[in-house]
Amino acid sequence: MYQIVKRIGILFGIFATALLIYFMIGNRNRSGAEETVYVALQDASLPTVYAETCGRTMNRMAGYRQEMDSSVAGELLTLIPEDRKLVLDIQNREDAITAIHYDVRSMDRQRLIERTDLENWTTTDSGIQAQLPIQNLIARDQEYLLQITLETEQHGSVYYYTRILWTDSARAQAMVDLAVNFSEKTFDPAQARELASYLETNTSQDENSYHRTTIHSSFSRLTWGKLGMQPSGEFQVALRELDGAMSSVQVKYPAVRQDEETGESEIYEVEENFTMKWNELRIYLMDYERDVNQIFSGKDADYSGKRILLGITDESRVEARKSPSGSVIAYRAGRELWTYDQKSGHAVKVFSFRGKSGDVRENDSRHDTRILSVGDDGSIEFLVYGYMNRGEHEGNMGIAGYVYQTEANALEERFFIPYSGSFTELEEDLNQLVCLNPSGMLYLYLKHAVYGIDLESRENMVVADRLEKGSYAVSVDQKRFAWQSGRSQGGAGVLYLMDLETGQSQEIDGGVGENVRVLGFVGRDLVYGTARESDRWIVNGRTEEEPMYNVKIVNDQMEVETTYQKEGYYISRVSVEESRIHLDRVVRSGDQSYAPTVEDTIVCNADIGQGRMDGIGWYASPTKGRVYFVQLDGEVRSRSIRTSVPDEISYEKADVLNLETDRTLGNMEFYAYASGQLRLVTMDFASAIQTAYEGMGYVTDSYHRLLWSRVDRSVTRTIRDPQTAFAPLFRHLDEFTGSQKYADGVLVLDGRGCSMMQMLYFIDQGTPVVAYTENGGYLLLCGYDAYNVTIFNPATGEMYKAGLNDSTEYFRRLGNDFVCALVVE
């Protein structure tokens, strides 16, 4: 009996102990659930892919963990060799690759040309080398989209993108070699003498800043003056565009110099963009632009007097904002975010993707930060947007919302918004609107829509969608937003005005038979116009617009401050520049026609408000030129600045927000590139050409099909049979109302507003250009040389030549009303 009791006691003891342990662990877990879990920001670990093309290893492709739009592939053009066996160098130190496959598609992604799984690849010291045996299913001299997929152990599928072109690469290689040699020789004034012949030095060029050097700069500026700059890393070379004799090449590299006063090393990022034209005798440098940006180090020497010295940079890359009391200043230097407490002298490097190792993956420039709010305790809410090259979202493009907690000295992520386009497009969107109001509602513009996000609940809503440029406006302080209810820039029946600080919106009704149009803001005051639907302006079968008969300015209380209305005059276009409103005016010349008349201007007394550069200044250094700084309220008290960096980051409370609307724009979008950079996305083809024209650039559609180039045009061209060549465009001319692609592959473009000289590109491509004359008649431009343009009159069958200058002026007086076309795949 005793043994039985003893055994029962032992079993009971074991059971009690187990129960106690269970409850202890459970309580510990429940307690831990209330605590925030922080982790370190992981180093970059995705493989990097390079292509062997143009005689070198170049065109670095970063990995994506999401499938991307064609616009991402538009950043690189890879020429495949004659045997179509493209060699890739895959640098991979952290993650094992288990499979490689690739897709070749048409640029619009509608046709899958090839899908291949690689069976073999070669191991190298830095990773692996793979050869892509692209099949003989692609056409020569036609671009395709190449998507490379690496299957990895840690990250699963990782995607890489480039456009590919099967063509003779000799010209491109010569131009790539020139770009690299040009970059290298700028650091040696003796060798750089050879570069003087490429410059087109202009005395009107700004020589006060080393941030930007162009083809019009002086030889001294090109060769770094007295900076003593030297390259400090590998040159990253990329072919951006190749069209016939024209190419666009980009070269990036880090550089370093010694400060002559402090002896400290200064690190810089350098990006050069070349636009070149190949000729049998030589290569012509059509455009050149070098951007230089200093990496803010946060060393003691950067805090001087009443300034935090940010160095050589561009004003678009710096920003400062104070806390409510002004004691803490948050500032953006390059792509990094810092704060400085003016009372304690404590600085915090709040956010940076940049690593100490110099790994090219961690120094990817396709991201930036945006300050949302600053607290007196040093806390800061901010966005990181673009390509995430480290951390939880490595390999994703998107927008991450963060808050820096001062007490914990740590970051907490609130949300992540995926984005499938390019960084340039994303940045352009966010430049339209980002506003955090006191109630914690974040408003931002993204892909033709404005969204509101409650940062507490993470709930989001669509404030307005299907927004075209010209149909909405944002105040300078980004706290008021106005938009039209319709899609047209010409106006809509209702206009909405929203105060983003309060979330309250109001309506302005155009009335019966009238439309209202958003024109802009003067400070916080809204400028809008009113047009009668009966006052329609028709030009050659296409609606120009509805001229406005008045313009009004209303304040925060919706009170009309100013009304502009003059009998017999209409306003066709309005531009708002700070406190001045410029009016383009017309007078009626027929039932549905108008003629330009003298312009007018409204001068306003409205408070313009704070600008983006408030708190930022610059001074002229005898060595470094223009140097930017953050303005402090008082002298820096200590010679030794205490600097801290957040130790960890938390993702556990973050939500992934997929911001999408059901409605998309039906109109074509045009992408204007100049000096190697995307400068404008617009639905107005003429505006795209004007933007690209100044920088010897080019225009593409959303699938990166080249539509127009300033550089790639023959000296002379004649279309022998203009009627036959005109047939594809003629089929659609009567029904044409705006730029669009038809089912037969004809892309018809509205060239109204372009100059005749800009339209010659289409003649060189083999398609006559329609040039409208009076009363709906038109002529065909079908040839040109250095002195004349060849014109065909389809009504009479007559072909004749006219002087270039005289013809340019003739069509300008007629409104430069052109229609042009291309036949695309």
Side-chain angles (χ1 to χ4, degrees), residues 18 52 73 92 103 118 128 131 134-135 296 381 404 407 437 465 486 527 585 589 619 622 636 653 662 699 708 748 782:
E52 293 192 6
N92 176 57
D103 293 353
L118 290 187
I128 63 177
Q131 185 180 89
I134 297 173
Q135 299 176 25
F296 179 71
E381 294 187 271
Y404 169 65
E407 291 185 3
N437 74 10
D465 60 3
V527 184
R585 303 190 304 170
S589 60
Y619 69 91
V636 176
K653 297 181 181 179
D662 295 331
V699 177
W708 183 88
V748 184
C782 56

Side-chain angles (χ1 to χ4, degrees), residues 451-454 457-462 657-660:
Y451 299 90
I453 303 171
D454 187 327
S457 67
R458 313 298 197 272
E459 294 180 352
N460 62 85
M461 63 179 180
V462 179
L657 307 179
N658 291 296
L659 303 186
E660 297 179 357

